[in-house]
Amino acid sequence: MGYSPFGVRLWRLLSHRRRTFATSIEHMRANLARKAGVSSAELAAVMTGGASPSPDLVGKLAPALDIRTADLFVIAGLPVPDELASAWPTSPRDVGSILRAALSMNAKQRSQLEALVRSLPVQPRTESAPADDLLDTPGALLVRLLRNRNIRPRPYIAWLLNAVGDGPYVSDSTIAQLGTGRVVITPQYVTAFAYLLGYRPGDVVALTGVGPVVEGARVHPEHAEIAALAWRARQLSSDQLSYVIAEAQTIRSA
């Protein structure tokens, strides 16, 4: 049977999460179906390519897999529902601008910045995000997960990946070309993306199929806090982002 990208990703993720090699994927799949409250037959059909994942199935699997629901829609190759989608694309700022500011702050200042982001009301999308023409490849998956945090492959993204997850020293245009397949994705990219996205590197290696995890990476000590800040800020509007960046300058100077 023809395996779907989502089915393959689920298979690799469950295989990675097995406690022992003696545990079968069928056992892992049955446990996942039970935990998510979905039909074991439906899940098996999706994993073997016999059926496409439905939005309802993805929504139930996400908490059972400990993956953010909006991210699992991306991983499944489905449009993210408007109520869950990030504000991408905003202009001229995006969430990467907030993270760059946060990385120049001390712990107290970052706490103030996080409180400011939390205080702003979410403004739901008025229209769906524009689709892209990227193929369903490991590099495109990582770029789409960035966009799901309203972080674009634009100025400072290469710097962010290096500062947070010890990504390679490359240009921003090189990161953008990961999505088009013009640049070959390597384990160092995958490990760095994992820390910036807020997931365990082993899980992201399983989802992309590119590894192993780079052991001994020089990871930012507050990488989890930075990743959480990105998720909290992902639905801020263009005006809200500009406001936060201006306030961040005030916080730093104070």
Side-chain angles (χ1 to χ4, degrees):
M1 302 181 70
Y3 287 87
S4 69
F6 183 51
V8 172
R9 286 167 186 157
L10 275 182
W11 189 95
R12 287 196 303 246
L13 184 62
L14 294 183
S15 179
H16 165 68
R17 291 182 175 181
R18 289 181 298 174
R19 293 186 177 181
T20 68
F21 286 112
T23 303
S24 68
I25 299 299
E26 289 74 17
H27 176 77
M28 295 288 292
R29 186 179 65 206
N31 281 344
L32 174 61
R34 183 166 52 253
K35 186 176 180 181
V38 300
S39 163
S40 182
E42 180 184 9
L43 180 57
V46 169
M47 289 185 63
T48 57
S52 299
S54 67
D56 180 66
L57 177 70
V58 171
K60 291 177 179 178
L61 287 178
L65 289 168
D66 194 24
I67 293 176
R68 298 183 186 278
T69 303
D71 279 344
L72 197 60
F73 272 91
V74 174
I75 294 166
L78 296 176
V80 180
D82 290 350
E83 66 273 15
L84 298 179
S86 75
W88 177 82
T90 52
S91 179
R93 306 287 191 176
D94 66 1
V95 171
S97 302
I98 293 180
L99 300 189
R100 184 167 182 263
L103 286 166
S104 67
M105 294 176 169
N106 59 37
K108 181 179 179 181
Q109 292 169 336
R110 280 197 300 271
S111 179
Q112 291 177 303
L113 180 63
E114 179 188 11
L116 173 63
V117 170
R118 284 181 178 272
S119 71
L120 297 176
V122 172
Q123 299 183 353
R125 298 191 68 97
T126 57
E127 58 183 16
S128 298
D132 61 56
D133 57 357
L134 302 178
L135 299 177
D136 200 350
T137 63
L141 173 61
L142 295 179
V143 169
R144 285 173 173 147
L145 289 172
L146 275 187
R147 291 177 179 174
N148 208 29
R149 286 146 179 78
N150 192 22
I151 302 175
R152 287 173 286 173
R154 53 168 289 168
Y156 311 126
I157 181 57
W159 180 86
L160 279 175
L161 283 169
N162 179 261
V164 175
D166 200 18
Y169 287 97
V170 295
S171 66
D172 294 318
S173 61
T174 298
I175 302 299
Q177 291 178 47
L178 289 174
T180 62
R182 294 178 182 175
V183 173
V184 176
I185 190 168
T186 65
Q188 187 177 9
Y189 281 116
V190 174
T191 301
F193 267 93
Y195 285 111
L196 183 58
L197 295 171
Y199 288 116
R200 292 182 291 272
D203 283 352
V204 181
V205 164
L207 291 170
T208 60
V210 179
V213 174
V214 176
E215 301 295 343
R218 297 178 296 103
V219 180
H220 194 283
E222 304 300 333
H223 63 86
E225 179 184 347
I226 297 298
L229 177 62
W231 191 260
R232 294 187 185 103
R234 62 190 288 274
Q235 292 182 308
L236 297 183
S237 67
S238 296
D239 289 343
Q240 288 174 320
L241 288 167
S242 295
Y243 169 70
V244 170
I245 295 303
E247 289 298 304
Q249 294 174 351
T250 301
I251 292 172
R252 284 202 308 268
S253 62

